[in-house]
Structures are given as C-alpha cells and as structure tokens.
Amino acid sequence: MKLLTCPVNGPRNITEFQYLGPVRAASADQPEQLIEALFYAENPLGVMREWWRHTPSNIVLIAERHTVSDQIVATYLPNRKPA
Amino acid sequence: MPFSLLKYGLRSRHVPFRDIPPTPDLKRSYDVVIIGGGGHGLAAAYYLSNVHGIRNVAVLEKGYLAGGNTARNTTTIRSNYMTEESVRFYKEGVELFETMSRDLGFNVMFSQRGQLTLAHSEATLRSFHLRAEMGKHMGTRIEVVDVRTVKELCPHLNLDLGGQHEVMGGLWHADGGTARHDAMAWGYARHAGARGVEIHQRTEVTGFEQAGDRVTHVRTNRGTIAVGQVLQAVGGLNGQVAAMAGIRLPIRCFPLQAMVTQPLKPFLDILVSSANLHTYLVQSSRGEVVIGGGSDPYQLASTRSTLDQKEHLAEGALHLFPFLYKVKLLRQWAGITDMTPDYSPIMGASPLKNYWLDCGWGTWGFKATPVAGKRMAETIATGRVPDVLKPFDLSRFDSFALLNEMGATAASH
C-alpha cells in the first residue's frame, strides 16, 4: 500500500485521499489566462505541486510528488510550506 | 498462396523471411520523418509509401517497434461514440479493420464479434439512447437492448449483481470487435519497409532545429537529419516531444492498467463493458480473459502497476462473472495515456508549418490506428487537412469548439 502523509493525520493509505490535480500557475479569473487555466494543465516529468484532499477528515493539502518515480517529496497545508 | 507455401515447405534450403528490414544508418535527409514507431506512425508510413508514393521516409522509434501503447492497449475496435464528428471518423477506422488482413496480406485476426456496454442506471440508459440514435444516423450497427436481449447475448452474465448495480439494459454495437495489435503493426511495418521506408529502432529524438515557423532538422542520439515534414505520434510522451518543438499541448498523463487471466475454455464471444463498474472484459482467441478499466486516479508518467487498481479491476470482473473467482492472473501491465480535456484526439496542423500532430490518443487510440494513419498520410502528402480531421484540430481549445467524448470513452471501452 502506498502511503501519503497528511499534515494533520499523519501517514495514511493513499486510497483515503482524493486527487484534485496540479497547483495551477494560470488563473481562470484572469481573462487572458482563461484558456490556459481551463485546458493546459501542468504535466511535467519531474516534481509537481498538486492538490489532494484527505476525504475522511476533509483536510485539503498540497503534495510535492515526482511524476515519474511516484515518490512523494513533501506534504503540507496550503500556504504553510515548511522552510 | 497455398501453392507458394507448399513450394516453400518442400524446398531444401529455407531462406528465413524477415518481416522488418534491419535498422540502417541514418541518411542526411528525408522527405518525411515520423517520430514514433507505434501503430499510428507505422500506419502513416504505410499509407505514405504504398498509396501516396512518398518513399523517402524514416520512422524513428526510441525503443523497439510497436513496444509502447500499441502493445499495451486492450484491442477494442468500435465506433459507438457520441458526436457526429467522432462517429464519422471511427466508423472509417472500423471499416479499414474489416479489410485489413486482406489489404496487408497479414492475418491480424480481426474478429467482429460485437460489443455490449451495460447500463446499471436510468441515466446511463439515456446516454445510450443518444449514442444509438447518432450511430444509426451515421449508418453504424448500434441499438439499445433490454435485459432479456442482454441475457441472450451473454448468458453467463450476472445480471442482478447482488442487488447493487443491477443490469437495466445495454448498448449493443454489432460493428465492435477486436484484432491482434502486434500483427497490425508488423503488417504495416512490413509493407512500408518493402516500399523503402526506413524503420530506425532505438533512435531517440533529442531536439529540433527550426528556421522561422518550420522545422529544418531533427536531432537524434544517432545524428542530425534534415527533414521536409515531420509527423509526431509518440503516445504517452507527446507532451514532452511537442515541447522540444516549442509546442504546448493540452495533455495530462495518466497510467492505464490492464491484465489477463490464465486461458479458459471459450465462454465469452462478445466484448462486454460496464460504464458503472469501470470494467471491461474480452476473451482472446487463446482463451485468456483480458480485463481493463479506468485510469489511475492521479497523474503519472510511469508504467508501474498497483495492487489497488488490479483489485479494482478484479472486483468489477467478479461482479459481472462471479465464476471467475478462482482464476489466476497471467500477466498485468500499464501504459501511459496522453489525456486531452475533451477525451478526443488532436490531429492535424501544429503552430509550425511542416510539423503535424497525431496525439492526445489517451485510452482510445488502438481502434483509430488505420484511419489516423491513412488520414495523416493524406494530410502530409497533400498539405491539406481532410474534412474528417478538421474537428480534431489543436485550435479547437482556443475557440472552445470541444468534442466531448468523455461519456463514450472514459473507462468503458
């Protein structure tokens, strides 16, 4: 079983989490970025920042994960990235 | 054919026949370079060389021939989509499969056994009616059937599923079928090679040289070559290769996992799929049951397998056919799918004048191999995108002219 560490609940089975997609650089609120924000999502080969939700406790968090090795580098609450 | 075979068999000295010519040295320049030696790229090479007379063609393959998603798909052939544009395109693909063995002189074991998609809810049945009416309008064989007909088509199916997800009806697509993916790729490669197309295996594209809005050279690990035109068809790596040419694609990568069981006596002579259970099954001519389903839940560019997903596939399969509970798995694997936002492919022009795209094939690329190859070859040979491909242009995302096929595609082949 693959584990993902929730910043509140600690290491949990990754099936308890819902994937909410990459943290987007473009914003749908900016008209000139609308198409970018809607269709052109981040898809790197490397570490990507992404939104996850621990469904039983409804904790929304950010994970930094490598998209080739599937290694989870860090997890933290939004706007509380550890130094 | 039988006489030549007999003569060959009686000859004392056998000359081994080589389907695929050995990898030659790279020439300095080619009229057309096809990046990706999978089904789509080889089909395009076949049509370029055998139909359009363009023979100075190189197919560049990073690994070995047809070893990516061409070898990893679950070989479903069908045209039961939602929109007129898609049905028109995929119908042409099914028709090309019907004559493929004869056209290629290579038995691709096409078996048009029909595909049954199960509905477990009223909402699914409503979407089936939409797809059936569109399919009939476009001249394909498709109809919504009731539970009694489902039972006749597939007597072993567990219809009540223990009170949950009971089967309420189905979408019967008599044109649906399956074929050998390797045979198809080898057939195309053999005929393209016979007409002078060079197939370069273990040749990785590392970059492009551009002048204005044209690609002039392709850089590879075996040297740099000058090009007239380029076709990109690289499956899961489409986003990365396009980025080397400075093109951004609306693509996200997800693994798609599948597995086969040990061989069983024939019990399933149609393709069965369930939209609600995210599972589909087909019994191969060897008797193995091929089980596929939904993609992995999060983005990844790795072909690793997970127990979670395999359990999920097994659960769906056991709901439909509980008597499979003792059957052992023989093989399991994954492929990297390049998913587009509207679950339709991207074919046609790119921002560069001589660089053509055949990508975004996600989980639905195998069935389109012949038609995508044929139409992309036509595009390259004439310099004009045919009408049937126009709805699939990359520019549809800029104009919000999406071609939504999520309901007819995701997890329910």
Side-chain angles (χ1 to χ4, degrees):
Chain A
M1 287 295 167
K2 190 170 178 65
L3 296 178
L4 195 149
T5 303
C6 172
V8 175
N9 300 291
R12 308 293 305 177
N13 189 331
I14 200 162
T15 55
E16 289 185 15
F17 294 84
Q18 179 190 11
Y19 183 62
L20 301 173
V23 176
R24 306 299 317 280
S27 161
D29 297 334
Q30 309 283 335
E32 69 278 8
Q33 292 182 3
L34 180 63
I35 288 167
E36 176 78 14
L38 287 178
F39 304 130
Y40 289 80
E42 282 74 0
N43 187 43
L45 294 182
V47 176
M48 178 162 78
R49 292 177 69 226
E50 50 198 15
W51 294 100
W52 288 78
R53 185 170 76 96
H54 183 240
T55 43
S57 61
N58 203 21
I59 305 284
V60 174
L61 61 131
I62 287 176
E64 293 182 4
R65 188 178 58 88
H66 199 288
T67 60
V68 178
S69 67
D70 202 17
Q71 188 190 357
I72 296 156
V73 182
T75 55
Y76 44 87
L77 291 172
N79 304 322
R80 285 198 216 168
K81 182 173 180 171
Chain B
M1 185 65 178
F3 282 114
S4 60
L5 192 64
L6 191 66
K7 250 171 83 180
Y8 179 80
L10 292 173
R11 211 180 298 160
S12 55
R13 277 193 190 166
H14 291 274
V15 183
F17 182 78
R18 217 186 149 115
D19 282 314
I20 315 295
T23 301
D25 287 335
L26 279 172
K27 288 198 286 193
R28 284 211 187 142
S29 80
Y30 294 93
D31 293 341
V32 179
V33 163
I34 297 170
I35 307 172
H40 282 239
L42 293 168
Y46 164 80
Y47 281 102
L48 278 173
S49 56
N50 283 258
V51 175
H52 299 285
I54 299 174
R55 298 178 181 194
N56 187 19
V57 177
V59 178
L60 308 182
E61 168 55 48
K62 177 184 172 184
Y64 57 93
L65 197 75
N69 288 350
T70 301
R72 295 160 194 272
N73 63 77
T74 45
T75 67
T76 301
I77 298 160
R78 63 188 181 91
S79 61
N80 51 357
Y81 279 80
M82 187 76 87
T83 65
E84 186 174 337
E85 294 86 346
S86 296
V87 177
R88 181 179 295 119
F89 176 77
Y90 290 109
K91 176 176 180 261
E92 193 176 322
V94 172
E95 287 163 1
L96 287 169
F97 269 107
E98 288 168 356
T99 59
M100 186 182 286
S101 291
R102 201 163 60 238
D103 294 343
L104 296 177
F106 207 105
N107 187 3
V108 299
M109 295 166 73
F110 177 59
S111 160
Q112 200 160 31
R113 58 182 73 172
Q115 188 207 28
L116 178 66
T117 313
L118 302 171
H120 309 267
S121 70
E122 290 286 351
T124 312
L125 266 181
R126 269 201 301 280
S127 80
F128 282 2
H129 280 289
L130 281 174
R131 286 164 68 183
E133 293 311 313
M134 179 55 75
K136 285 176 195 164
H137 172 63
M138 300 302 293
T140 63
R141 289 185 289 165
I142 185 167
E143 60 182 317
V144 177
V145 294
D146 60 10
V147 179
R148 194 192 303 175
T149 314
V150 168
K151 185 88 188 158
E152 282 169 17
L153 287 165
C154 194
H156 304 297
L157 193 68
N158 178 24
L159 289 171
D160 66 1
L161 284 93
Q164 290 189 328
H165 304 300
E166 69 183 293
V167 175
M168 301 176 75
L171 184 65
W172 173 241
H173 180 42
D175 289 332
T178 178
R180 283 285 297 146
H181 41 201
D182 302 325
M184 173 198 73
W186 278 59
Y188 281 137
R190 178 169 135 185
H191 283 274
R195 292 290 177 103
V197 171
E198 292 181 5
I199 296 165
H200 294 272
Q201 303 187 62
R202 304 186 73 171
T203 305
E204 181 177 358
V205 170
T206 54
F208 298 98
E209 289 170 23
Q210 298 177 12
D213 55 1
R214 298 181 74 86
V215 172
T216 58
H217 294 80
V218 177
R219 286 198 296 268
T220 77
N221 59 340
R222 295 173 59 221
T224 299
I225 44 184
V227 291
Q229 305 196 65
V230 179
L231 171 66
Q232 178 194 317
V234 296
L237 283 171
N238 271 316
Q240 275 65 38
V241 172
M244 283 193 248
I247 301 165
R248 274 207 78 194
L249 294 178
I251 279 175
R252 298 164 75 192
C253 291
F254 291 84
L256 183 68
Q257 303 186 34
M259 57 196 192
V260 295
T261 69
Q262 65 190 109
L264 305 172
K265 283 185 179 176
F267 71 94
L268 184 62
D269 62 355
I270 58 170
L271 294 94
V272 174
S273 114
S274 161
N276 296 59
L277 296 175
H278 298 289
T279 310
Y280 56 93
L281 295 97
V282 54
Q283 191 171 23
S284 77
S285 45
R286 279 193 296 243
E288 299 164 349
V289 183
V290 183
I291 305 171
S295 302
D296 270 42
Y298 57 86
Q299 268 172 269
L300 191 70
S302 161
T303 52
R304 62 95 177 90
S305 289
T306 61
L307 182 63
D308 291 335
Q309 199 68 12
K310 292 291 158 10
E311 282 180 338
H312 182 69
L313 292 179
E315 187 187 345
L318 290 182
H319 272 309
L320 298 173
F321 299 102
F323 58 87
L324 292 175
Y325 75 103
K326 268 189 174 172
V327 173
K328 290 188 171 64
L329 289 182
L330 208 60
R331 298 188 302 280
Q332 46 96 31
W333 67 91
I336 305 169
T337 64
D338 46 337
M339 302 295 290
T340 56
D342 59 358
Y343 289 70
S344 284
I346 298 165
M347 288 182 285
S350 78
L352 300 172
K353 284 275 183 289
N354 61 340
Y355 195 95
W356 307 96
L357 298 169
D358 178 24
C359 58
W361 279 108
T363 65
W364 51 89
F366 170 72
K367 70 180 77 67
T369 307
V371 62
K374 180 186 170 186
R375 293 302 194 170
M376 288 313 298
E378 181 186 338
T379 305
I380 293 166
T382 62
R384 199 186 138 270
V385 180
D387 289 343
V388 70
L389 291 193
K390 280 182 182 157
F392 300 98
D393 198 88
L394 175 61
S395 65
R396 73 177 184 269
F397 298 100
D398 297 328
S399 52
F400 294 93
L402 301 196
L403 212 55
N404 184 9
E405 290 295 352
M406 188 172 183
T409 303
S412 57
H413 294 244

